[in-house]
Structure formats: structure tokens, C-alpha cells
């Protein structure tokens, strides 16, 4: 496969396939990942081609998925766990933060747990409760874990392979409402470091920081703002822990204005961290405070009102306007 | 909850009478055929782990350890099961398995460094084939199950070089979701794993009646694998039952739940006070089932060991304890910036940056009066 137009879902599937193909120690495990190919079909066809020992349908218990992955990793395997939906990860939370995150530290480096925990996350698909959440801050707050998210098919294809090849335990968040969006995927493209932010659209007036599903929203806002003569620079973080804020700082020093966008509630969210660090690093360059555009501090609402909850193009533009108010 | 003693597998009565063979609830016959040297070896292990444990308790009382979880009373369950392991087997302990570690050949200083706070129990789990102590109750049963799935996937069951995993936990852990998930997983994947539950009757202050309404070993039936209750104060029975379960696992027949029926003679840890929650007569009754006294009675009666041997074992255990004490007292504290070591295998800009600032800050005090 050279360059090909794929949906994010298919790109992730291709990346997983390549990882299974390259390393016999890679195993995929989760609920319905085998015959069904996952509820979003991200593992479609993989069990058929790699067998039931490589693509393992598990009992319906998330702590069990992660806990047994720890044992498999100790045995030399590289488990890729699928958690079916964001809101289902909490039963596994103890295994992730108390065991997976800490074993390398506790063992003074003698144990490595190269586990990837894939979680389709975020809203916008009209789902019922527990199917639309953004739990990234819980994991980004935990030392020993790394947290990444892709926003487009090309990154999805590359990043999933990098995450699986990494010796770190990685929470890999997949923006589920972007699964069906297409983009060019170049299988031969040169890989970039997994934990590196990218400038998704260059601009001169306001730095808009986003990740995962909100990158598309931020880019749409930038297109709209350009019609009004404002050039937004959109930065796709890709990595949420560790944060790669170098490109953000560099951008804010030029633009003097910064808006952070995410779906998760604002209180103690990633936006607060980013705002604090940008303020510390770029204090004398800032024309206005760093603003956040986020979900509200409520549980994720019912589907019929989720569009009110989710940051959209207008709320991003409104925040951009407000940065000019100081 | 009924004691249900009829089903207790026992090969050595509390008076030290040898039972030739015992039949478990599943109809399996258990017996041991040990040499005199092996019997004496069991005795030496029991005395040594009790003596080292007593030393650790004393060290805690003297302020040298932050806390200690004593194994007093559970020596037979730990030595019996620990000696049943083969070198290729993998152990997943909780935080009280000092006797299992000892049988595994792990330096007794290792758990002490955890309780003293100089590290977090960092022996090499791969090299020693013994996982680190797990403090979150029951979490390691899933690790053992996953590891056992890996054994099966590696094709290391069924043959002479067959491997098995064993998970240790207490009665309180059986209430945890993770333990029940481990039972389900191990059953459906026929994983070569043994679940060794030391039912010491209390989860800190909560009696077994607060964990279950049925004998714990009976739970296995609901998950589809054998469960057996063994006299956990009988080192021979603990050995026989564990050896059988490990063979069962390594031959590809899947998991077994062993409930080692025993009693924690001391506190849960040095932080609690059993007199608040246990009637004194209860511990007294269990004292008559002491695992060391009963093996000593057997060895003496059978003329397998004499007073000279018993005295020599005591002296050896004392010497080991003194050496352990000296080593604990001279254990160096870790370097301050070791806080930042090994958070990630290949580092992280966040942590590496914090280390730099931390060291610069500390350096700023150099040469000052502080």
C-alpha cells in the first residue's frame, strides 16, 4: 500500500494488522474483537487472519482485560487491549493506574509493560450514557502512563503502530466520531516521534490548541475565521501525556493569543494544564489570558442535547473574539 | 459459616500423627512420601521463616520498619505450597508471603526493604520467577491468570517442561471483583494457574463471615474447576495438595482453587490491634494446631530428628535473623533524585525536566549553613 484514501477506522485496522504481522508477540484482546471485529469494526478480519490466540475475544470484564494483559506482558507479550467505550474503562481503572502505570517504577526498571489500551472516546454519535465520555485527564494525571490521541487517518495508522512498538504503557484514545472520516494514508511515510505535536494549520493571529475529535472542529473554525480575515494557527497535540508544548509556546510567542479546545469538562482538565504552562512560559508574549472552550462540568448529556454540550465552530470563534477583548 | 472439617485435607494431625492418605472433596487422594532429610528440611524452613518474621516484627516495634505484615501461624501453608513449586513456575504473591519468597530463594532483605521504605519491593520478577508484593487486594490473581494464558500460548503445558503460575491471596480478596474475574478467565481459557487462598479467618478486623456464606473452596465449582480445602497448618498436606494442583495445571487441565484453612496468630499488620476484634479463646484454640509443634512432635516420635537437630535449627535461624537485622540497620536510603528514576523506560520530558529543576534547587543549598 502506497498512498491511499482511508477512513480513520480502516487506517487503524491497517496499522493493527501491520503490527500483528511484524511481531508475533503482539496480541489483541477485548470484548467482541474477534468474529465481530469490534463494535466499530476496528479489528475487522484480524482474528480470521491471525487466529484466536492473537486476537482474543475476552469475557465481559474490563479489569480482567487489563489485569490479564499485565500477566501476558510479564510473559513477554505485547497486549493491545480494546476497551469498548470510554465510559466502560472505569472498572479497569485500578488495574491501569495502580498496576500498569507503576510496575516499571516499583521494580526499578526490571519490569516493562508494553501494553496499549485502546479506547474509542468522545461524543457526537448520538449514543446513550457511558458511550461518549472523555476520560483523558484521569490517565494523563497518572505518572507511568502515556496518553495519546489521533485526529486523522494518517496519524491513526502511524501512531497505533508506534504505540504498540513502545515499551511504555499507553492509553490510546480514538476519536470515535471521526472513525468514518477519510484522509490520505501513506504507508511509506517517514515516522515522527510519537510524542510530538504538529501544526495542523499555520496562522499568525491566534493559537488554537486541540486534540483528537476537536482538531477537525478547530480547523473548521480556522477556515471560517479566515473569511473574516483572522488567521488561526491550529495545533494538534497528538500526545496528552507527556505534552509536547514546544510548538504551542513557539506559536503563542508569535500570535500572543491562545485558545484551548477539548470535549472533556473544563474543571481540572487538560485545558487547565495547558493554560498554566503556556502562561508560565509565554507570559510576556500574551495579549490576553489563555481561554478554554470545553464540554461543561456536567455528566455527558442525553444525545438530543449533546450538540449543546460539545464545543463547536461557533464556540471556538467566540473564544477567539474574546481574546481580542483585553 | 460451617467449619466443614470433614473436607479438610490433612496428612498430619495437630498431635503430630501421620495420616497415610487423605481424600479431598473432589475424590482425589493426597499423600506424601518424603525422605527423612526432606521432613527435616520442612521443619528447618518453618522455624526459619517464623524466626525471620519475628525479627521483622521486632524491628518494626523498634522503629526500623514502617510497618510489617506478619505471617505468624501461616508458615505451613506458605512453606508447604512454596516447596511444591518447580523452578519454572511463576509466583504472584500478596504482601504476606515472606515464607513463599524464602522457599523461592529470594533474599529475605527484599520484602524488608519495602516495609522499611527504601524501595517498593523491587526484586526481579522475571529472574526470580516471583512477582513483587501486591498490596491492592487480589489484583495479582489476574496477573497470574494472564501469565498462565501466556504459558499456554507458548505451548508450555502438557510436557515435562510444563509450567504453571500460582497466585496467593487471602480470604478477604475473594470478595474482590478481580479474583472472581480471574476465576472466570482461567476457567474459560483453561489457564495453568493455581489459586492459593490462605483463609486466615480475618481481613484486618472482619471475620470470614463478612466475606462469604459458603466455604471458600466450594466457590470453585461455580466457575467450573476443582476446589479443595487443606489444613493450612499442616505443611505436608499443603505441600501435597499444591503439588497436585500444579501438576494438574501444567498438564493442561486448568486451574484449581486451594483454600488453606489457617489462622493469623498476630495482627493483620503491626498497625492494628487484634484484641479489639478477636476473642482471646479463639487464638488459644488455634495455638494447639501450631504448624511447627505438630511437625516437631512427628519428627521426634518417628526419630527422624533429635534434640541436637532441633537446637541446631534454632541456632541457625537465630544466626540468620541476626544477620538480617544487621543488614536492615545498614540499608542505605536511596539517592534523593532516585524519585525520578524508572517512571518510564525511556524517560519523559516532563519527569526529566522536574529532575533537573529538583537537582538545581538542592544544589542551591550547597555551602550554606543548612
Amino acid at each position: 500500500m502506497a498512498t491511499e484514501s482511508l477512513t480513520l477506522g480502516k487506517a487503524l485496522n491497517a496499522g493493527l494488522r501491520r503490527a500483528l504481522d511484524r511481531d508475533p508477540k503482539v496480541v489483541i484482546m477485548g470484548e467482541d474483537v474477534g468474529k465481530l471485529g469490534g463494535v466499530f469494526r476496528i479489528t475487522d478480519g484480524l482474528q480470521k487472519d491471525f487466529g484466536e490466540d492473537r486476537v482474543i475475544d475476552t469475557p465481559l470484564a474490563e479489569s480482567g482485560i487489563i489485569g490479564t494483559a499485565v500477566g501476558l506482558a510479564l510473559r513477554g507479550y505485547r497486549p493491545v487491549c480494546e476497551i469498548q467505550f470510554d465510559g466502560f474503562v472505569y472498572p479497569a481503572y485500578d488495574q491501569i493506574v495502580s498496576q500498569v502505570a507503576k510496575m516499571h517504577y516499583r521494580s526499578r526498571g526490571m519490569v516493562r509493560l508494553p501494553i496499549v489500551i485502546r479506547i474509542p472516546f468522545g461524543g457526537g454519535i448520538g449514543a446513550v450514557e457511558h458511550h461518549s465520555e472523555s476520560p483523558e485527564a484521569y490517565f494523563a494525571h497518572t505518572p507511568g502512563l502515556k496518553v495519546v490521541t489521533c485526529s486523522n487517518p494518517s496519524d491513526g495508522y502511524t501512531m497505533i503502530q508506534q504505540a504498540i512498538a513502545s515499551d511504555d504503557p499507553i492509553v490510546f484514545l480514538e476519536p470515535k466520531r471521526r472513525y468514518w472520516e477519510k484522509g490520505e494514508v501513506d504507508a511509506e511515510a517517514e515516522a515522527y516521534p510519537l510524542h510530538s505535536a504538529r501544526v495542523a494549520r499555520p496562522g499568525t493571529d491566534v493559537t488554537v490548541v486541540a486534540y483528537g475529535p476537536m482538531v477537525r472542529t478547530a480547523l473548521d473554525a480556522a477556515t471560517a475565521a479566515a473569511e473574516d480575515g483572522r488567521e488561526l494557527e491550529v495545533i494538534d497535540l497528538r500526545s496528552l501525556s507527556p505534552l509536547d508544548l514546544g510548538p504551542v509556546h513557539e506559536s503563542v510567542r508569535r500570535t500572543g493569543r491562545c485558545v484551548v479546545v477539548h470535549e472533556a469538562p473544563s474543571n481540572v482538565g487538560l485545558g487547565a494544564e495547558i493554560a498554566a504552562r503556556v502562561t508560565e512560559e509565554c507570559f510576556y508574549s500574551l495579549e490576553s489570558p489563555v481561554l478554554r472552550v470545553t464540554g461543561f462540568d456536567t455528566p455527558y448529556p442525553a444525545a438530543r442535547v449533546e450538540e449543546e454540550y460539545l464545543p463547536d465552530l461557533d464556540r471556538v470563534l467566540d473564544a477567539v473574539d474574546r481574546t481580542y477583548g483585553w | 459459616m460451617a467449619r466443614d472439617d470433614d473436607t479438610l485435607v490433612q496428612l498430619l494431625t495437630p498431635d503430630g500423627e501421620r495420616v497415610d492418605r487423605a481424600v479431598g472433596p473432589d475424590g482425589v487422594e493426597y499423600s506424601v512420601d518424603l525422605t527423612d532429610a526432606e521432613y527435616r528440611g520442612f521443619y528447618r524452613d518453618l522455624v526459619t521463616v517464623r524466626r525471620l518474621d519475628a525479627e521483622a516484627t521486632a524491628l518494626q516495634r523498634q522503629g526500623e520498619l514502617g510497618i510489617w505484615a506478619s505471617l505468624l501461624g501461616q508458615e505451613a501453608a506458605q512453606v508447604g505450597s512454596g516447596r511444591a513449586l518447580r523452578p519454572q513456575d511463576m509466583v504472584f504473591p500478596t504482601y504476606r508471603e515472606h515464607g513463599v519468597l524464602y522457599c523461592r530463594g529470594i533474599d529475605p532483605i527484599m520484602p524488608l526493604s519495602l516495609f522499611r521504605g527504601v524501595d517498593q519491593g523491587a526484586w526481579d520478577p522475571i529472574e526470580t520467577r516471583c512477582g513483587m508484593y501486591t498490596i491492592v487486594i487480589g489484583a495479582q490473581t489476574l496477573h497470574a491468570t494472564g501469565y498462565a494464558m501466556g504459558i499456554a500460548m507458548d505451548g508450555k503445558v502438557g510436557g515435562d517442561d510444563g509450567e504453571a503460575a500460582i497466585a496467593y491471596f487471602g480470604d478477604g480478596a475473594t470478595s474482590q471483583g478481580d479474583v472472581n474475574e480471574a476465576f472466570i478467565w482461567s476457567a474459560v481459557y483453561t489457564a495453568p494457574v493455581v489459586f492459593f487462598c490462605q483463609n486466615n479467618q480475618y481481613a484486618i478486623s472482619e471475620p470470614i463471615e463478612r466475606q462469604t456464606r459458603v466455604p471458600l473452596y466450594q466457590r470453585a465449582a461455580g466457575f467450573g474447576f476443582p476446589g479443595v480445602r487443606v489444613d493450612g497448618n499442616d505443611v505436608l498436606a499443603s505441600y501435597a495438595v499444591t503439588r497436585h494442583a500444579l501438576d494438574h495445571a501444567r498438564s493442561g487441565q486448568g486451574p484449581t482453587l486451594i483454600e488453606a484453612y489457617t489462622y493469623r496468630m498476630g495482627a493483620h499488620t503491626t498497625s492494628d490491634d487484634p484484641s479489639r476484634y478477636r476473642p482471646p479463646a479463639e487464638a488459644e484454640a488455634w495455638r494447639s494446631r501450631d504448624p511447627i509443634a505438630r511437625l516437631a512432635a512427628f519428627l521426634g516420635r518417628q526419630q527422624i530428628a533429635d534434640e541436637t537437630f532441633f537446637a541446631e535449627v534454632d541456632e541457625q535461624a537465630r544466626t540468620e535473623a541476626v544477620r538480617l537485622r544487621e543488614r536492615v540497620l545498614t540499608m542505605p536510603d536511596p539517592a534523593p533524585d532516585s524519585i525520578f528514576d524508572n517512571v518510564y523506560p525511556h524517560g519523559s520530558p516532563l519527569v526529566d525536566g522536574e529532575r533537573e529543576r529538583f537537582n538545581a534547587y538542592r544544589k542551591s543549598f550547597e555551602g550554606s549553613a543548612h
Side-chain angles (χ1 to χ4, degrees):
Chain A
M1 158 172 118
T3 300
E4 203 180 337
S5 180
L6 293 177
T7 63
L8 173 61
K10 295 274 189 207
L12 288 163
N13 179 273
L16 288 167
R17 174 176 289 278
R18 202 157 174 206
L20 284 164
D21 212 27
R22 273 190 180 160
D23 184 350
K25 290 296 184 187
V26 173
V27 293
I28 291 175
M29 50 200 297
E31 297 158 8
D32 307 303
V33 297
K35 283 200 176 71
L36 183 66
V39 291
F40 291 105
R41 310 292 184 268
I42 306 304
T43 55
D44 191 26
L46 298 179
Q47 190 184 62
K48 185 171 144 287
D49 294 341
F50 293 94
E52 291 184 6
D53 274 358
R54 301 287 309 280
V55 182
I56 305 169
D57 271 325
T58 66
L60 266 76
E62 287 73 17
S63 190
I65 294 171
I66 306 301
T68 53
V70 171
L72 280 162
L74 286 168
R75 183 77 195 177
Y77 286 87
R78 302 184 87 85
V80 182
C81 303
E82 177 173 304
I83 299 294
Q84 207 157 60
F85 283 93
D86 34 58
F88 302 167
V89 73
Y90 306 118
Y93 190 67
D94 169 58
Q95 284 287 349
I96 297 172
V97 305
S98 302
Q99 306 295 329
V100 174
K102 290 178 180 156
M103 216 169 268
H104 185 260
Y105 189 70
R106 291 180 54 210
S107 69
R108 290 202 307 255
M110 286 178 276
V111 168
R112 287 184 185 180
L113 296 180
I115 297 171
V116 175
I117 301 163
R118 294 180 40 239
I119 310 174
F121 87 122
I125 63 162
V128 296
E129 61 171 350
H130 314 302
H131 290 68
S132 304
E133 302 185 3
S134 299
E136 60 268 27
Y138 298 121
F139 300 111
H141 192 64
T142 303
L145 294 179
K146 289 186 171 175
V147 184
V148 302
T149 178
C150 51
S151 68
N152 61 76
S154 176
D155 281 354
Y157 175 77
T158 307
M159 289 172 70
I160 190 63
Q161 293 181 68
Q162 289 172 316
I164 294 168
S166 166
D167 285 341
D168 299 307
I170 293 182
V171 174
F172 191 93
L173 299 166
E174 300 171 2
K176 68 170 84 79
R177 74 158 132 160
R178 307 298 180 202
Y179 272 149
W180 301 273
E181 291 183 11
K182 276 193 162 185
E184 293 299 310
V185 175
D186 179 1
E188 315 302 330
E190 207 169 312
Y192 46 84
L194 179 59
H195 301 286
S196 56
R198 75 182 174 109
V199 177
R201 175 185 170 121
T204 50
D205 298 333
V206 180
T207 303
V208 180
V209 181
Y211 56 85
M214 283 293 108
V215 174
R216 164 64 34 211
T217 305
L219 288 170
D220 291 347
T223 303
E227 289 167 16
D228 294 337
R230 272 188 191 146
E231 292 299 330
L232 309 187
E233 178 147 301
V234 177
I235 297 185
D236 177 359
L237 286 173
R238 294 202 284 217
S239 176
L240 308 184
S241 180
L243 285 164
D244 177 25
L245 292 182
V248 177
H249 295 152
E250 194 273 322
S251 175
V252 172
R253 286 192 194 103
R254 281 189 285 105
T255 63
R257 293 181 167 83
C258 183
V259 173
V260 188
V261 188
H262 60 63
E263 284 187 29
S266 62
N267 193 41
V268 203
L270 261 289
E273 183 63 36
I274 294 161
R277 288 183 186 267
V278 167
T279 303
E280 196 175 335
E281 202 61 37
C282 308
F283 187 70
Y284 292 109
S285 306
L286 284 168
E287 302 288 340
S288 72
V290 180
L291 296 185
R292 289 172 286 170
V293 179
T294 70
F296 298 112
D297 291 305
T298 66
Y300 195 85
R304 290 298 180 114
V305 287
E306 72 178 335
E307 294 305 330
E308 304 299 325
Y309 173 92
L310 290 167
D312 61 8
L313 173 154
D314 289 332
R315 278 171 63 193
V316 175
L317 291 175
D318 175 64
V320 165
D321 283 347
R322 281 189 288 132
T323 64
Y324 284 87
W326 268 269
Chain B
M1 190 197 74
R3 270 277 306 285
D4 205 5
D5 264 359
D6 293 350
T7 57
L8 198 67
V9 174
Q10 196 177 68
L11 293 172
L12 196 59
T13 69
D15 298 329
E17 293 291 342
R18 191 66 175 74
V19 180
D20 194 34
R21 51 188 61 240
V23 181
D26 44 3
V28 176
E29 278 198 352
Y30 297 100
S31 62
V32 286
D33 183 18
L34 299 175
T35 65
D36 288 356
E38 285 169 331
Y39 282 125
R40 285 192 293 266
F42 273 135
Y43 181 80
R44 189 183 296 276
D45 287 344
L46 293 176
V47 170
T48 306
V49 300
R50 176 172 292 184
R51 184 67 183 81
L52 292 174
D53 182 77
E55 195 65 33
T57 301
L59 282 162
Q60 195 283 330
R61 294 299 183 220
Q62 292 156 9
E64 300 294 345
L65 300 178
I67 195 171
W68 181 247
S70 168
L71 62 62
L72 186 64
Q74 299 177 222
E75 297 88 349
Q78 295 195 17
V79 169
S81 61
R83 286 297 176 209
L85 296 164
R86 289 193 199 165
Q88 69 267 30
D89 295 332
M90 181 74 179
V91 180
F92 290 85
T94 179
Y95 46 75
R96 200 189 298 282
E97 267 69 77
H98 325 310
V100 178
L101 260 57
Y102 184 82
C103 294
R104 211 68 192 138
I106 293 177
D107 187 339
I109 198 80
M110 290 299 189
L112 285 152
S113 62
L114 167 69
F115 291 98
R116 188 172 167 86
V118 301
D119 72 17
Q120 296 182 307
W123 53 89
D124 187 334
I126 309 301
E127 180 75 28
T128 60
R129 294 213 164 229
C130 180
M132 295 176 292
Y133 276 179
T134 305
I135 296 198
V136 174
I137 302 297
Q140 77 283 3
T141 58
L142 281 169
H143 306 167
T145 301
Y147 188 92
M149 288 166 67
I151 292 173
M153 284 154 62
D154 290 344
K156 293 285 189 183
V157 284
D160 283 345
D161 60 346
E163 299 178 31
I166 185 167
Y168 286 89
F169 52 100
D171 40 299
T174 63
S175 298
Q176 289 279 353
D178 276 4
V179 174
N180 290 272
E181 291 181 27
F183 289 172
I184 292 165
W185 244 262
S186 62
V188 301
Y189 295 109
T190 323
V193 58
V194 174
F195 298 108
F196 194 92
C197 173
Q198 290 170 81
N199 175 1
N200 68 12
Q201 314 300 329
Y202 286 90
I204 306 189
S205 71
E206 295 192 6
I208 186 70
E209 290 78 9
R210 273 285 174 271
Q211 314 299 333
T212 187
R213 303 296 289 177
V214 298
L216 293 175
Y217 76 93
Q218 289 182 1
R219 288 201 184 162
F223 294 93
F225 54 85
V228 54
R229 176 181 271 183
V230 63
D231 184 339
N233 286 21
D234 172 353
V235 70
L236 304 182
S238 295
Y239 172 78
V241 166
T242 311
R243 187 180 56 181
H244 181 274
L246 287 165
D247 284 345
H248 184 83
R250 77 174 91 253
S251 67
Q253 297 177 77
T256 300
L257 169 62
I258 298 171
E259 178 190 1
Y261 202 78
T262 183
Y263 194 75
R264 189 188 80 212
M265 295 302 290
H268 163 69
T269 71
T270 43
S271 296
D272 66 309
D273 172 9
S275 73
R276 281 176 174 246
Y277 56 84
R278 293 199 308 213
E282 187 181 274
E284 236 3 87
W286 276 91
R287 210 175 298 282
S288 66
R289 302 171 170 211
D290 184 79
I292 298 183
R294 77 167 76 174
L295 186 60
F298 168 71
L299 296 180
R301 192 176 302 129
Q302 298 297 312
Q303 298 184 329
I304 294 169
D306 58 16
E307 287 311 314
T308 316
F309 170 77
F310 293 132
E312 185 263 318
V313 169
D314 283 345
E315 180 54 26
Q316 187 215 341
R318 196 191 70 81
T319 308
E320 279 198 45
V322 168
R323 195 183 313 140
L324 185 65
R325 159 174 292 268
E326 287 166 0
R327 291 175 68 201
V328 167
L329 298 182
T330 55
M331 208 184 281
D333 285 347
D337 78 340
S338 67
I339 293 167
F340 302 100
D341 291 346
N342 299 309
V343 182
Y344 299 93
H346 308 293
S348 150
L350 183 71
V351 181
D352 298 346
E354 284 183 348
R355 183 205 294 270
E356 255 173 55
R357 290 190 291 279
F358 172 81
N359 279 332
Y361 175 73
R362 291 190 77 243
K363 208 160 185 268
S364 70
F365 293 99
E366 274 178 16
S368 76
H370 300 283

